[in-house]
Amino acid sequence: QKWLKNLKTYIMENWNTCVRENKIGTETLIGMPYPYVIPAPKYYWEEMYYWDTYFTSQGLYLTGEEALAKSCTENMLYLVDRYGYMPNGNRTYYLNRSQPPFLSMMVMDVYKRYRDKEFLERAYETLKKEYNFWMTQRITPIGLNKFSVNKENLGDTEHISKYFSKRIGYTIPNCDSKTMAVKLLTDCESGWDFNPRCEFKQDETVHIDLNCNLYLYEKNFAFMSRELNLKEEDKWEKRADARKELMNRYLWDGSAFMDYNFNEDKTMKLFSAASFFALWAGVASLQQAEETRRQLKRIEREYGIAATEEYSLPGIYQWAYPNGWPPLQYVVIKGLDNYGFKEDARRVAQKYVSIMETLFEKTGTLWEKYNVLTGNKDAVGDYGERIMLGWSAGVYLFAKDYLES
């Protein structure tokens, strides 16, 4: 079919519309030394976003744009060296938070393609700074990590609270503006802005996806140490093992790894695609992976994977049922594939490829998120539909390649 070919052509011809270069910085935009990719060609953004860029890069590598993926990675390393962590994006107003950490995975992708040990050694030292940020600024009493905010850079909490409360259509009773702002900005750091996973107790919640990512950092550090002959791999393997043990103790509920409220010592009840990060990162045993796979029916619908199962919490959340988001399709596909559940992985990949191709045929473009019940771009959200290239394109190219391999 002609239009199927056209979608890949469309993506390849439009990558350059998403490339920016700003070495100096202007007003709120933080300058970076290399060209970078923004999520969409127009309307909304001039800045690079942290976790978006990881998924975008998967598509860059598949279309011969590895130099651009590398320059995005170099920019992130630059920002970590400058600030001690990777901000949500290269804007001064994003300095109050980070986003899900994917930089060590991006470094691994660059190293696999370029095999440059000087790059790896430099990146390893910088990544340890970012890891230290998570282990000092985002640690909980049980030894696992949470999302939060940099309170010294909070800004006008009254404004933040009102602005974000309007977006979710709900104000938490008996909650002052600063507390509300911290809770909502914590959702922003999680990348899932906004979602019902924590039942408005974001500051007390250990997130399964964050700890899976940090487990991967520890495993990646062990690999880097071996490659560079630094003799530090035992330390990192022990840290990864210790984290896995804590995750099993606190986050495994018998059916899946779940978010956990460490103040109330309880597992959160709302099942979400975040549980599949444990399969993506290799934290789950085969038996745990099989149990998690059985929960797929709670979030899989005709047109893909919903961010969460159906929920009853008041408010409007775009990172929740019935919305499908590209990065979550990616994690579910990879997680299932890692444990040999190829049939499930291919089914989910096919659903994503089909919906992207159908929407492209109807609208001539890609979209940021979609509705897994209707198969359309009428996703529930606190703002309207947004045209996207970024991770929508990256995950489409990945899923298409997965089905053809």
Side-chain angles (χ1 to χ4, degrees):
Q1 290 157 307
K2 188 179 172 192
W3 55 269
L4 295 189
K5 188 181 173 191
N6 284 349
L7 177 49
K8 186 170 181 181
T9 306
Y10 168 82
I11 291 168
M12 292 175 72
E13 286 176 354
N14 277 277
W15 280 138
N16 66 332
T17 67
C18 296
V19 177
R20 300 290 184 272
E21 189 163 11
N22 193 313
K23 293 185 180 180
I24 308 300
T26 55
E27 296 177 353
T28 63
L29 194 64
I30 299 166
M32 301 187 295
Y34 303 99
Y36 59 93
V37 182
I38 61 171
K42 52 186 175 178
Y43 306 130
Y44 328 109
W45 300 284
E46 283 297 314
E47 65 277 354
M48 176 179 77
Y49 283 81
Y50 188 1
W51 78 314
D52 296 55
T53 310
Y54 170 77
F55 297 98
T56 304
S57 294
Q58 303 312 303
L60 293 174
Y61 285 117
L62 287 167
T63 49
E65 296 284 355
E66 57 274 350
L68 189 52
K70 183 176 189 287
S71 75
C72 289
T73 308
E74 290 279 20
N75 281 329
M76 289 183 187
L77 292 167
Y78 163 79
L79 291 174
V80 172
D81 275 330
R82 183 169 171 181
Y83 296 108
Y85 63 98
M86 174 60 203
N88 186 146
N90 59 313
R91 290 277 186 189
T92 53
Y93 49 75
Y94 286 148
L95 293 175
N96 59 22
R97 60 187 185 268
S98 185
Q99 259 194 334
F102 278 88
L103 184 49
S104 88
M105 296 69 140
M106 293 179 70
V107 165
M108 292 284 280
D109 284 344
V110 170
Y111 182 67
K112 278 176 201 161
R113 277 147 186 94
Y114 289 91
R115 310 304 296 187
D116 179 348
K117 288 201 174 175
E118 283 182 24
F119 162 81
L120 191 66
E121 191 163 14
R122 178 167 49 83
Y124 177 66
E125 292 307 316
T126 299
L127 285 167
K128 285 193 285 186
K129 294 179 190 173
E130 187 196 17
Y131 177 81
N132 188 54
F133 162 81
W134 290 101
M135 296 307 290
T136 57
Q137 306 300 307
R138 302 289 189 265
I139 196 73
T140 70
I142 64 167
L144 291 170
N145 297 78
K146 65 174 184 174
F147 290 111
S148 188
V149 291
N150 303 330
K151 294 189 172 69
E152 68 277 9
N153 291 324
L154 260 185
D156 183 347
T157 55
E158 189 86 27
H159 169 73
I160 291 166
S161 175
K162 281 180 183 167
Y163 173 69
F164 286 145
S165 296
K166 197 181 289 182
R167 278 178 57 180
I168 64 168
Y170 183 67
T171 303
I172 306 168
N174 308 315
C175 188
D176 63 77
S177 64
K178 184 176 181 183
T179 307
M180 184 79 176
V182 167
K183 287 176 186 292
L184 295 172
L185 288 173
T186 298
D187 267 359
C188 293
E189 182 167 272
S190 79
W192 292 49
D193 47 333
F194 296 96
N195 75 85
R197 283 166 57 184
C198 307
E199 299 170 7
F200 296 123
K201 294 181 178 174
Q202 288 91 332
D203 38 353
E204 304 171 22
T205 302
V206 166
H207 284 71
I208 173 59
D209 36 358
L210 171 60
N211 285 279
C212 289
N213 279 29
L214 291 173
Y215 173 83
L216 265 183
Y217 266 58
E218 289 151 354
K219 299 297 276 187
N220 287 344
F221 284 151
F223 169 86
M224 292 175 198
S225 173
R226 278 190 288 271
E227 281 293 288
L228 298 166
N229 200 26
L230 297 174
K231 312 280 192 253
E232 294 177 357
E233 51 267 31
D234 285 354
K235 173 182 81 171
W236 294 116
E237 293 288 2
K238 279 177 185 160
R239 288 202 183 182
D241 289 345
R243 183 182 299 278
K244 187 192 280 194
E245 194 179 313
L246 288 170
M247 290 169 76
N248 273 297
R249 188 189 312 170
Y250 293 107
L251 309 187
W252 176 254
D253 79 343
S255 62
F257 285 93
M258 301 287 282
D259 301 324
Y260 172 82
N261 184 311
F262 58 87
N263 271 358
E264 298 176 12
D265 183 25
K266 71 169 191 182
T267 306
M268 307 309 279
K269 291 189 170 58
L270 188 73
F271 184 72
S272 78
S275 290
F276 282 88
F277 274 75
L279 279 64
W280 177 67
V283 170
S285 67
L286 183 55
Q287 189 180 352
Q288 288 170 329
E290 285 171 348
E291 287 292 340
T292 307
R293 173 205 190 189
R294 287 193 191 105
Q295 311 309 315
L296 199 55
K297 60 183 179 291
R298 295 163 73 174
I299 53 174
E300 185 179 357
R301 295 296 180 267
E302 186 179 351
Y303 297 101
I305 302 295
T308 69
E309 64 185 343
E310 292 183 71
Y311 64 96
S312 57
L313 204 68
I316 301 162
Y317 306 93
Q318 60 174 3
W319 283 86
Y321 189 88
N323 289 359
W325 288 85
L328 303 182
Q329 317 304 307
Y330 177 92
V331 166
V332 170
I333 295 163
K334 289 283 277 189
L336 290 166
D337 181 74
N338 282 348
Y339 286 81
F341 306 135
K342 309 276 185 195
E343 194 180 319
D344 297 300
R346 292 182 71 81
R347 186 181 67 251
V348 174
Q350 187 58 63
K351 286 181 178 185
Y352 183 68
V353 164
S354 296
I355 198 169
M356 289 297 103
E357 290 174 349
T358 302
L359 285 176
F360 180 71
E361 189 180 18
K362 281 184 193 169
T363 65
T365 190
L366 294 178
W367 299 87
E368 181 188 42
K369 56 188 181 292
Y370 61 94
N371 186 319
V372 300
L373 293 183
T374 65
N376 217 321
K377 60 185 174 64
D378 60 336
V380 175
D382 46 59
Y383 52 74
E385 300 155 350
R386 294 209 291 204
I387 287 173
M388 187 71 138
L389 201 65
W391 62 19
S392 299
V395 176
Y396 168 77
L397 292 166
F398 154 76
K400 189 82 174 156
D401 182 68
Y402 179 75
L403 291 169
E404 289 170 357
S405 61

